[in-house]
Amino acid sequence: GLIKVYLIFWPKSEQNLLRTDVVTVTPWLAPIVWESTFDPVLMDAIFKPQNLTIAATVFAVGKYVQFLKDFLKTSEQFFFIGFNVHIYVFTDRPNDVPKVQLVSVRVVQSSQRWQEISARRMEMVHTLLLELSDSTHFIFCLDVDSKFHGRWGSESLGELVAVVHPGYYGNPRSRFPFERRTKSRAYMAPSDGDFYYCGGAFGGSVDQVLALTQTCSKNYRDDEKEGVEAAWQEESHLNRYFWENKPSKVLSPEYLWQDFKPRNPEIRIIRFSGVIKNYAAIRPNV
Ligand SMILES: CC(=O)N[C@H]1[C@@H](OP(=O)(O)OP(=O)(O)OC[C@H]2O[C@@H](n3ccc(=O)[nH]c3=O)[C@H](O)[C@@H]2O)O[C@H](CO)[C@H](O)[C@@H]1O
Ligand SMILES: [Mn+2]
């Protein structure tokens, strides 16, 4: 009797599975994943027998192909080790894609504007997912200008998964860079919003990400027809989507840090991080 009650309150190692310095659950009871809130061995023991296939999409258009080598190399070290992983690389320079197993290359058009390259990812991911729905269980859509530095695994799986943007999580909600103009379909009122999520990493089940990419790409296109481009392109539409459709799991900024930022004390591990880059040298426009 007593010992079982004790175990319910203090599973396994009480020091390890407890974080009191950060918020670990949302007001709609979705977990927020931080180091030491989960047991990686236990998570893998639950998910590995399910024989899941995990897809990741990454766009490397124009000069961004230079980031592929490190992205792919580090994904082999840290991303869903021991799972069936398939990476889909979208590029206009297929000959520059490093030869790595389980990578598929899809040729896409470039654009004169980085904003369009970034924003059009949504509809291309949507098209891909229509083909993958039978063979793939979960998908993550990731920025290419980044490297893995630590485990990113089964603890991140969920129906609809958002990553808290590393740049704003200490700010009051009113300072989140949501789209504030009512003429955009990404509009968020001053009191709206839970977290500010990043466009550089999100995911979920194939069905959920199909719905997300359909809505976000349609809203981006419909805005475009009216001459409107949201403040942070698809990231703005993504944030509006997650406001209306709450993520079932939220990943902490451990899952997308930025190399130029000093590591805050609550960040005990950096799993994935954007590299420092010279925007003027690599983007088609500034
Ligand atoms: C940390 C984070 O969440 N970053 C977001 C932020 O970007 P960043 O400043 O990190 O944007 P970025 O330059 O990495 O562009 C986003 C992604 O688009 C692709 N790309 C872009 C330009 C190009 O010439 N070729 C190319 O392939 C590439 O996969 C890149 O990783 O703002 C962007 C604005 O829309 C996106 O929301 C990014 O996801
Ligand atoms: Mn990026």
Side-chain angles (χ1 to χ4, degrees):
L2 254 185
I3 187 75
K4 278 185 190 152
V5 172
Y6 181 79
L7 283 172
I8 286 167
F9 284 100
W10 299 106
K12 207 172 166 198
S13 49
E14 46 197 270
Q15 316 90 314
N16 286 344
L17 293 177
L18 201 61
R19 287 288 298 260
T20 52
D21 58 333
V22 289
V23 177
T24 58
V25 65
T26 68
W28 59 96
L29 295 180
I32 309 177
V33 182
W34 297 87
E35 177 69 353
S36 297
T37 60
F38 64 93
D39 179 339
V41 176
L42 174 62
M43 297 294 307
D44 282 350
I46 294 167
F47 284 100
K48 275 195 182 160
Q50 298 180 29
N51 197 24
L52 301 171
T53 297
I54 319 290
T57 58
V58 69
F59 285 73
V61 176
K63 292 180 183 167
Y64 280 58
V65 288
Q66 67 189 256
F67 299 115
L68 270 175
K69 187 162 159 279
D70 284 347
F71 175 93
L72 293 172
K73 197 176 67 190
T74 59
S75 75
E76 289 181 326
Q77 294 171 272
F78 295 113
F79 188 68
F80 283 96
I81 301 309
F83 287 77
N84 310 314
V85 175
H86 202 116
I87 298 185
Y88 295 86
V89 174
F90 293 73
T91 184
D92 58 337
R93 301 185 184 184
N95 297 328
D96 295 344
V97 177
K99 301 279 174 287
V100 180
Q101 276 195 332
L102 296 175
V103 169
S104 299
V105 178
R106 308 209 143 205
V107 177
V108 297
Q109 301 277 304
S110 187
S111 159
Q112 292 305 104
R113 294 180 64 242
W114 66 265
Q115 293 90 338
E116 270 176 27
I117 296 172
S118 184
R120 295 237 168 95
R121 290 183 288 180
M122 286 284 193
E123 60 190 57
M124 291 187 254
V125 169
H126 185 76
T127 306
L128 171 74
L129 283 175
L130 292 172
E131 294 168 33
L132 297 190
S133 53
D134 292 335
S135 62
T136 305
H137 301 95
F138 294 97
I139 175 157
F140 289 93
C141 307
L142 303 173
D143 263 22
V144 73
D145 57 330
S146 337
K147 288 188 220 179
F148 294 88
H149 302 275
R151 174 198 163 102
W152 179 324
S154 54
E155 75 283 355
S156 67
L157 294 176
E159 282 294 308
L160 188 59
V161 181
V163 180
V164 175
H165 196 295
Y168 305 95
Y169 68 99
N171 290 359
R173 185 167 295 142
S174 61
R175 300 247 312 269
F176 290 170
F178 294 131
E179 172 56 59
R180 301 296 186 182
R181 298 168 300 168
T182 52
K183 63 181 179 179
S184 169
R185 288 159 182 80
Y187 168 71
M188 297 279 284
S191 60
D192 288 354
D194 302 301
F195 301 93
Y196 188 76
Y197 303 109
C198 63
F202 61 90
S205 69
V206 168
D207 286 349
Q208 287 293 321
V209 180
L210 262 171
L212 179 158
T213 49
Q214 178 160 34
T215 300
C216 291
S217 58
K218 183 175 191 307
N219 287 343
Y220 179 82
R221 283 289 189 193
D222 288 349
D223 269 10
E224 195 176 41
K225 283 179 204 149
E226 295 168 8
V228 177
E229 186 173 79
W232 288 101
Q233 299 82 36
E234 82 286 5
E235 187 173 84
S236 304
H237 291 280
L238 183 74
N239 272 282
R240 172 66 194 247
Y241 188 86
F242 284 141
W243 169 238
E244 291 175 31
N245 306 268
K246 303 298 191 208
S248 62
K249 188 170 274 187
V250 174
L251 305 181
S252 71
E254 296 165 3
Y255 289 82
L256 184 45
W257 197 247
Q258 284 169 333
D259 285 356
F260 68 78
K261 275 175 72 70
R263 190 160 66 88
N264 293 347
E266 66 277 11
I267 305 294
R268 296 189 185 167
I269 177 175
I270 293 173
R271 304 171 190 282
F272 186 60
S273 183
V275 302
I276 294 170
K277 58 190 196 288
N278 178 348
Y279 285 100
I282 54 163
R283 282 179 170 173
N285 59 315
V286 284

